[in-house]
Every structure is written in structure tokens, then in C-alpha cells.
Amino acid sequence: MNQLNSETVKRLAKEVGFDLCGITTPEPIPQSSERFRRWLDRGYHDQMTYLARDPERRSDPRVLMPSVQSVVVLGLNYYQPNSQVTPKSSGRVARFARGKDYHKVIERMGMQFVAMLSQVLGPGAGAEFRFLVDYGPMLERAIAAKAGLGFIGKNSMLISRQFGSWFFLAELLTSLPLESDDPFAVNHGRCGTCNLCIEACPTGAIVDDYTIDSRKCLSYLTIEKPSEIDSKMASQLGDTVFGCDICQEVCPHNCRAVLTEHSELLPESGVGEFIDIDEVLKLTSQEEFLQFTAGTSLTRPKLEGLQRCARIVRNNQAE
């Protein structure tokens, strides 16, 4: 059986295509666990009731995988610029969702990563792996900060010196004992006295440093909220039909953003930066909806949710 060290793990992660890789221990982070519980107690998760189920699983990777000794945290840059003008009768899609569904893209990369690690270890190694993308039950931004990938900003995003906040996260839990990274080895910066994200949020969703009230967050309202959107909130959507990038766009750390090298995440591979509102409203069946959103994250709100947001954007553009 061959041995795997942290250096080899990071090299293989890079070969697969991940842009960032850090390693940490699986012990829970008390401050993050307590902040998450307070967030739930205040009802900031709104109708995302699944987040309140068994919060310990999100705080402690050892509950997910009792044999875990190391957590490998991976990052994938998805940055792409915005067009300056919105085409007529179109709704804007947030950057993360313009290409193919990143969950599927990252899962494929994760499977390849695990296969390469297993190949190095050789047969009979007995190592265990569990790969998670961001819908897995984990407080991933806190764990990523612990692994040295960045710091958590006032907008609750993980911010890295190399990519700003424009990157996806994934985690590999493993029974292998790997050397951990120093979370402070890289000076990723800090927010300091800057409040640009708080001031720019049109609905006041950043209610405190590092705390988002989902009930006011445009990303939550356009993607996750199953019921109707309050008219006051709806007026703040502007031309946004899916997701929101405002708090990231104003962040000074994102001046370091670089165009993603992953073509699957670019508009040409998915629905694009804009979708035709009239076309969305003409969809009459689940089959038509799935054909329109095939392979992308826009399947998440379902037909009713996407058409609800399309109607809001049409009304906003008419005013």
C-alpha cells in the first residue's frame, strides 16, 4: 500500500481541475456552530426547514463519517463578467447558474479525484472517502476558512486572495490522516470598516456582520422560496430572474476576480446570462420546463417558481 501525503493530494486536486485545495481536521468549530444555531432560532432560514433538521450533522463532519480524520476542501472559480445592458424582455441570471449545473460538474470532478487518490493508494488500502458538494449537510464556509482557503466576509461569503468570493466549494471527507494547513498562512485580507455589501443590498438582507436574513435575500427569494414574494421585495428584483450577485459585485476584494477557465460554467454551456421572459411565461408543461432548463441550476425553483420571477421582472421592466 502506498502512502498519500497532503502535497500529493493537492497536486492531484489541481490535475483534476480544482482551483483551490486546503486540508483541515474534522473537529467542529464551536463559534460557527453557535452562530448557525442562533441563525436558526431567529427564523432566518424561513421556509428552508431542512436546514433545521439535525443541526449537529452540519457542524460536525464526524457525524457524517465516523472514520473521518481529514477534510479536503476544494474550490472552483466561476467568475464571468456581466453585460452592461439587459436585452429587452429578458431576465438576468446570477453568474453561478449561467452554465451547466455546477453540482453535476463538481461531482464528476470529485469522482475523478477519488479515483486518482485510490489509484495512488493501491488495492487493499482500505481508505474511506465521502465527497460533498454544497448541498451536503456541512457548514462548509467555516470549514474552508479553517482549511486556509479564505475568510468569511460580512456578506457571509468566503473570500480568497486569489479569486475573491467567486468560487464554489466542495469537500472530501477521508479516513486518511493528512497534514492540515495553517488557516492563517495566507493573508486573505479582511473586511475592516468596509460596509459596502451591507449598504448595497437593496432589501437589507445583511442584518448583521456575517448574518443573512434569507427572508430578505434576493437569491433565496428567486431560487428557494416556494410561496409568493412580497410586493415590496419583488420591486427590488429589478431584472434579476434567478439569484443575485449584488453583495459580491460591490466587494473590493473582488477586484482580484479572474475569468474562469472552466468552459462548462460559462453562459455558452447553459441558459446564458439572460433568459427570455416571454419564452419562460409560454412554458405550459413540466416537460417543456425541463427541456428549457436541462442540465442547469434553473431546475431548482421548478416551473411555478421560475414563472413567478419572470412575471415580477416583466412588471418591473414595465414600470
Side-chain angles (χ1 to χ4, degrees), residues 73-126:
V73 187
L74 303 155
L76 195 71
N77 172 34
Y78 68 85
Y79 177 74
Q80 47 203 274
N82 268 351
S83 300
Q84 295 302 311
V85 179
T86 302
K88 186 178 180 180
S89 300
S90 296
R92 190 186 295 271
V93 176
R95 289 170 175 82
F96 80 89
R98 294 172 184 172
K100 291 184 178 177
D101 186 342
Y102 69 93
H103 299 97
K104 297 175 182 178
V105 173
I106 294 176
E107 280 176 346
R108 286 196 298 270
M109 296 174 67
M111 291 174 63
Q112 184 182 356
F113 184 40
V114 170
M116 293 172 70
L117 295 173
S118 300
Q119 185 175 20
V120 171
L121 287 168

Coordinates of all heavy atoms in Angstrom, one line a residue, residues 73-126:
V73 N -10.8 20.4 1.4 CA -11.7 21.4 0.9 C -11.2 21.9 -0.4 O -10.1 22.3 -0.6 CB -11.8 22.6 1.9 CG1 -13.0 23.5 1.5 CG2 -12.1 22.1 3.3
L74 N -12.1 21.9 -1.4 CA -11.8 22.3 -2.8 C -12.6 23.5 -3.3 O -13.7 23.7 -2.9 CB -12.1 21.0 -3.7 CG -11.4 19.8 -3.2 CD1 -12.2 18.5 -3.7 CD2 -10.0 19.7 -3.8
G75 N -12.0 24.3 -4.1 CA -12.6 25.4 -4.6 C -12.5 25.5 -6.2 O -11.6 25.0 -6.8
L76 N -13.6 26.0 -6.8 CA -13.7 26.1 -8.3 C -14.1 27.5 -8.7 O -15.3 27.9 -8.4 CB -14.6 25.0 -8.8 CG -14.5 24.7 -10.3 CD1 -13.2 23.9 -10.6 CD2 -15.7 23.9 -10.7
N77 N -13.3 28.2 -9.3 CA -13.6 29.6 -9.8 C -14.7 29.6 -10.8 O -14.6 28.8 -11.8 CB -12.3 30.2 -10.3 CG -12.5 31.5 -10.9 OD1 -13.4 32.3 -10.5 ND2 -11.7 31.8 -12.0
Y78 N -15.7 30.4 -10.7 CA -16.7 30.5 -11.7 C -16.9 31.9 -12.2 O -17.9 32.2 -12.9 CB -18.1 30.0 -11.1 CG -18.7 30.8 -10.0 CD1 -19.5 31.9 -10.3 CD2 -18.5 30.5 -8.7 CE1 -20.1 32.6 -9.3 CE2 -19.1 31.2 -7.7 CZ -19.9 32.3 -8.0 OH -20.5 33.0 -7.0
Y79 N -16.0 32.8 -11.9 CA -16.3 34.2 -12.3 C -16.4 34.4 -13.8 O -15.7 33.8 -14.6 CB -15.1 35.1 -11.8 CG -15.4 36.6 -12.2 CD1 -16.3 37.3 -11.6 CD2 -14.6 37.1 -13.3 CE1 -16.6 38.6 -12.0 CE2 -14.9 38.4 -13.7 CZ -15.8 39.2 -13.1 OH -16.1 40.4 -13.5
Q80 N -17.3 35.3 -14.1 CA -17.5 35.8 -15.5 C -18.1 37.1 -15.5 O -18.9 37.4 -14.5 CB -18.4 34.8 -16.3 CG -19.7 34.4 -15.5 CD -20.3 33.1 -16.0 OE1 -21.0 33.1 -16.9 NE2 -19.9 32.0 -15.3
P81 N -17.8 38.0 -16.4 CA -18.3 39.4 -16.3 C -19.8 39.5 -16.7 O -20.3 38.6 -17.3 CB -17.4 40.1 -17.3 CG -17.0 39.1 -18.3 CD -16.9 37.8 -17.5
N82 N -20.4 40.6 -16.3 CA -21.7 40.9 -16.7 C -21.7 41.8 -18.0 O -20.8 42.6 -18.2 CB -22.4 41.8 -15.6 CG -23.2 40.9 -14.7 OD1 -23.3 39.7 -14.8 ND2 -23.7 41.5 -13.6
S83 N -22.8 41.7 -18.8 CA -23.1 42.6 -19.9 C -23.6 43.9 -19.2 O -24.2 43.9 -18.2 CB -24.1 42.0 -20.8 OG -23.7 40.8 -21.4
Q84 N -23.3 45.0 -19.9 CA -23.7 46.3 -19.4 C -25.2 46.6 -19.6 O -25.8 47.4 -18.9 CB -22.9 47.4 -20.0 CG -21.4 47.3 -19.7 CD -21.1 47.3 -18.2 OE1 -21.6 48.2 -17.5 NE2 -20.4 46.4 -17.7
V85 N -25.8 46.0 -20.6 CA -27.2 46.3 -21.0 C -28.0 45.0 -20.9 O -27.5 43.9 -21.4 CB -27.3 46.9 -22.4 CG1 -28.7 47.2 -22.7 CG2 -26.4 48.2 -22.4
T86 N -29.2 45.1 -20.4 CA -30.1 43.9 -20.4 C -31.0 44.0 -21.6 O -31.6 45.0 -21.9 CB -31.0 44.0 -19.1 OG1 -30.2 43.9 -18.0 CG2 -32.0 42.7 -19.1
P87 N -30.9 42.9 -22.4 CA -31.8 42.9 -23.6 C -33.3 43.0 -23.3 O -33.7 42.7 -22.2 CB -31.5 41.5 -24.2 CG -30.2 41.1 -23.7 CD -30.1 41.7 -22.3
K88 N -34.1 43.5 -24.2 CA -35.5 43.8 -23.9 C -36.2 42.5 -23.6 O -35.9 41.4 -24.2 CB -36.1 44.4 -25.2 CG -37.6 44.8 -25.0 CD -38.1 45.4 -26.3 CE -39.6 45.8 -26.1 NZ -40.1 46.5 -27.3
S89 N -37.1 42.5 -22.6 CA -37.9 41.4 -22.2 C -37.0 40.2 -21.7 O -37.4 39.0 -22.0 CB -38.8 40.9 -23.3 OG -39.7 41.9 -23.7
S90 N -35.9 40.5 -21.1 CA -35.0 39.5 -20.6 C -34.8 39.6 -19.1 O -34.9 40.7 -18.5 CB -33.7 39.5 -21.3 OG -33.8 39.3 -22.7
G91 N -34.5 38.5 -18.5 CA -34.2 38.5 -17.0 C -32.8 38.0 -16.9 O -32.3 37.1 -17.6
R92 N -32.1 38.6 -15.9 CA -30.7 38.3 -15.7 C -30.5 37.1 -14.8 O -31.2 37.0 -13.8 CB -29.9 39.5 -15.1 CG -28.4 39.3 -15.1 CD -27.7 40.4 -14.3 NE -27.9 41.7 -15.1 CZ -27.0 42.1 -16.0 NH1 -26.0 41.4 -16.4 NH2 -27.2 43.3 -16.6
V93 N -29.6 36.2 -15.1 CA -29.3 35.0 -14.3 C -27.9 35.3 -13.5 O -27.0 35.8 -14.1 CB -29.1 33.8 -15.2 CG1 -28.7 32.6 -14.3 CG2 -30.5 33.5 -15.9
A94 N -27.9 35.0 -12.3 CA -26.6 35.1 -11.5 C -25.5 34.3 -12.1 O -25.7 33.3 -12.7 CB -26.9 34.7 -10.0
R95 N -24.3 34.8 -11.9 CA -23.1 34.2 -12.6 C -23.0 32.7 -12.3 O -22.6 31.9 -13.2 CB -21.9 34.9 -12.1 CG -21.7 36.3 -12.6 CD -20.6 37.0 -11.9 NE -20.3 38.3 -12.4 CZ -20.9 39.4 -12.1 NH1 -21.9 39.4 -11.2 NH2 -20.6 40.6 -12.5
F96 N -23.3 32.2 -11.1 CA -23.0 30.8 -10.8 C -23.9 29.9 -11.6 O -23.6 28.7 -11.7 CB -23.2 30.6 -9.3 CG -24.7 30.5 -8.9 CD1 -25.3 29.2 -8.9 CD2 -25.4 31.6 -8.5 CE1 -26.6 29.1 -8.5 CE2 -26.7 31.4 -8.1 CZ -27.3 30.2 -8.1
A97 N -25.0 30.4 -12.1 CA -26.0 29.5 -12.7 C -26.1 29.6 -14.3 O -27.0 29.0 -14.9 CB -27.4 29.8 -12.1
R98 N -25.2 30.3 -14.9 CA -25.3 30.6 -16.3 C -24.9 29.4 -17.2 O -25.4 29.2 -18.3 CB -24.5 31.8 -16.7 CG -25.1 33.1 -16.1 CD -24.2 34.3 -16.3 NE -24.7 35.5 -15.6 CZ -24.1 36.6 -15.5 NH1 -22.9 36.7 -16.0 NH2 -24.6 37.6 -14.8
G99 N -24.0 28.6 -16.7 CA -23.6 27.4 -17.4 C -24.3 26.2 -17.0 O -25.4 26.2 -16.5
K100 N -23.6 25.1 -17.0 CA -24.2 23.8 -16.6 C -24.3 23.8 -15.0 O -23.6 24.5 -14.3 CB -23.3 22.6 -17.0 CG -23.3 22.4 -18.6 CD -22.5 21.2 -19.0 CE -22.6 21.0 -20.5 NZ -21.8 19.9 -21.0
D101 N -25.2 23.0 -14.5 CA -25.4 22.8 -13.1 C -24.0 22.5 -12.4 O -23.5 21.4 -12.7 CB -26.4 21.7 -12.8 CG -26.8 21.6 -11.4 OD1 -26.0 22.1 -10.5 OD2 -27.8 21.0 -11.1
Y102 N -23.5 23.4 -11.6 CA -22.2 23.2 -11.0 C -22.2 22.0 -10.1 O -21.1 21.4 -9.9 CB -21.8 24.4 -10.3 CG -22.5 24.8 -9.0 CD1 -22.1 24.3 -7.8 CD2 -23.7 25.5 -9.0 CE1 -22.8 24.6 -6.6 CE2 -24.4 25.8 -7.9 CZ -23.9 25.4 -6.7 OH -24.6 25.7 -5.5
H103 N -23.3 21.6 -9.5 CA -23.3 20.4 -8.7 C -22.8 19.2 -9.5 O -22.0 18.4 -9.1 CB -24.7 20.1 -8.1 CG -25.2 21.2 -7.3 ND1 -26.1 22.1 -7.8 CD2 -25.0 21.5 -6.0 CE1 -26.4 22.9 -6.8 NE2 -25.8 22.6 -5.7
K104 N -23.4 19.1 -10.7 CA -23.0 17.9 -11.6 C -21.6 18.0 -12.1 O -20.9 17.0 -12.2 CB -24.0 17.9 -12.8 CG -25.4 17.6 -12.3 CD -26.4 17.6 -13.5 CE -27.8 17.4 -13.0 NZ -28.8 17.5 -14.1
V105 N -21.2 19.3 -12.4 CA -19.8 19.5 -12.9 C -18.8 19.1 -11.8 O -17.8 18.3 -12.0 CB -19.6 20.9 -13.3 CG1 -18.1 21.2 -13.6 CG2 -20.4 21.3 -14.5
I106 N -19.1 19.5 -10.6 CA -18.1 19.3 -9.5 C -18.2 17.8 -9.0 O -17.2 17.2 -8.7 CB -18.4 20.2 -8.3 CG1 -18.1 21.7 -8.7 CG2 -17.6 19.8 -7.1 CD1 -18.5 22.7 -7.7
E107 N -19.4 17.2 -9.1 CA -19.5 15.8 -8.7 C -18.6 14.9 -9.6 O -18.0 14.0 -9.2 CB -21.0 15.3 -8.8 CG -21.7 15.8 -7.5 CD -23.2 15.4 -7.7 OE1 -23.7 15.1 -8.8 OE2 -23.9 15.5 -6.6
R108 N -18.7 15.2 -10.9 CA -17.8 14.5 -11.9 C -16.4 14.6 -11.5 O -15.6 13.6 -11.6 CB -18.1 14.9 -13.3 CG -19.5 14.4 -13.9 CD -19.5 14.6 -15.4 NE -19.3 15.9 -15.8 CZ -20.3 16.8 -16.0 NH1 -21.6 16.4 -15.8 NH2 -20.1 18.0 -16.4
M109 N -16.0 15.8 -11.2 CA -14.6 16.1 -10.9 C -14.2 15.4 -9.6 O -13.1 14.8 -9.4 CB -14.3 17.6 -10.7 CG -14.5 18.4 -12.0 SD -14.4 20.2 -11.8 CE -12.7 20.4 -11.3
G110 N -15.2 15.4 -8.6 CA -15.0 14.7 -7.4 C -14.8 13.2 -7.5 O -13.9 12.6 -6.9
M111 N -15.6 12.6 -8.4 CA -15.4 11.1 -8.7 C -14.1 10.8 -9.3 O -13.4 9.8 -8.9 CB -16.5 10.7 -9.6 CG -17.9 10.7 -8.9 SD -19.2 10.3 -10.1 CE -18.8 8.6 -10.6
Q112 N -13.6 11.7 -10.2 CA -12.3 11.5 -10.8 C -11.2 11.7 -9.7 O -10.2 10.9 -9.7 CB -12.1 12.5 -11.9 CG -10.8 12.4 -12.7 CD -10.6 13.4 -13.8 OE1 -11.5 14.2 -14.0 NE2 -9.5 13.4 -14.4
F113 N -11.4 12.7 -8.8 CA -10.4 12.9 -7.8 C -10.2 11.7 -6.9 O -9.1 11.3 -6.6 CB -10.8 14.1 -7.0 CG -9.9 14.6 -5.9 CD1 -8.5 14.6 -6.1 CD2 -10.4 15.1 -4.7 CE1 -7.7 15.1 -5.2 CE2 -9.5 15.5 -3.7 CZ -8.2 15.5 -4.0
V114 N -11.4 11.2 -6.4 CA -11.3 10.0 -5.6 C -10.7 8.8 -6.3 O -9.9 8.0 -5.7 CB -12.8 9.6 -5.1 CG1 -12.8 8.3 -4.4 CG2 -13.3 10.7 -4.2
A115 N -11.0 8.6 -7.6 CA -10.4 7.5 -8.3 C -8.9 7.7 -8.4 O -8.2 6.7 -8.3 CB -11.0 7.5 -9.7
M116 N -8.4 8.9 -8.6 CA -7.0 9.1 -8.7 C -6.3 8.9 -7.3 O -5.2 8.3 -7.3 CB -6.7 10.5 -9.2 CG -7.1 10.8 -10.6 SD -7.0 12.5 -11.1 CE -5.2 12.8 -11.2
L117 N -6.9 9.3 -6.3 CA -6.4 9.0 -4.9 C -6.3 7.5 -4.6 O -5.3 7.0 -4.1 CB -7.2 9.7 -3.9 CG -7.3 11.3 -3.9 CD1 -8.3 11.8 -2.9 CD2 -5.9 11.8 -3.6
S118 N -7.4 6.8 -5.0 CA -7.4 5.4 -4.8 C -6.4 4.7 -5.6 O -5.8 3.7 -5.1 CB -8.8 4.9 -5.1 OG -9.8 5.5 -4.3
Q119 N -6.1 5.1 -6.8 CA -5.1 4.5 -7.6 C -3.7 4.7 -7.0 O -2.9 3.7 -7.1 CB -5.2 5.2 -9.0 CG -4.2 4.5 -10.0 CD -4.4 5.1 -11.4 OE1 -4.9 6.2 -11.6 NE2 -3.9 4.3 -12.4
V120 N -3.5 5.8 -6.5 CA -2.2 6.0 -5.8 C -2.0 5.1 -4.6 O -0.9 4.6 -4.4 CB -2.0 7.5 -5.4 CG1 -0.7 7.7 -4.6 CG2 -1.9 8.4 -6.6
L121 N -3.1 5.0 -3.8 CA -3.0 4.2 -2.6 C -2.8 2.7 -3.0 O -2.2 1.9 -2.3 CB -4.3 4.3 -1.8 CG -4.4 5.7 -1.1 CD1 -5.9 5.8 -0.6 CD2 -3.4 5.7 0.1
G122 N -3.4 2.3 -4.1 CA -3.3 0.9 -4.5 C -4.4 0.0 -3.9 O -5.1 0.5 -3.0
P123 N -4.6 -1.2 -4.4 CA -5.6 -2.1 -3.9 C -5.4 -2.5 -2.4 O -4.3 -2.6 -2.0 CB -5.5 -3.3 -4.8 CG -4.1 -3.3 -5.3 CD -3.7 -1.8 -5.4
G124 N -6.5 -2.7 -1.7 CA -6.4 -3.1 -0.3 C -6.0 -2.1 0.7 O -5.7 -2.3 1.8
A125 N -6.1 -0.8 0.2 CA -5.6 0.3 1.1 C -6.6 0.5 2.3 O -6.3 0.9 3.4 CB -5.5 1.6 0.4
G126 N -7.9 0.3 2.0 CA -8.9 0.4 3.0 C -9.3 1.8 3.4 O -10.0 2.1 4.3

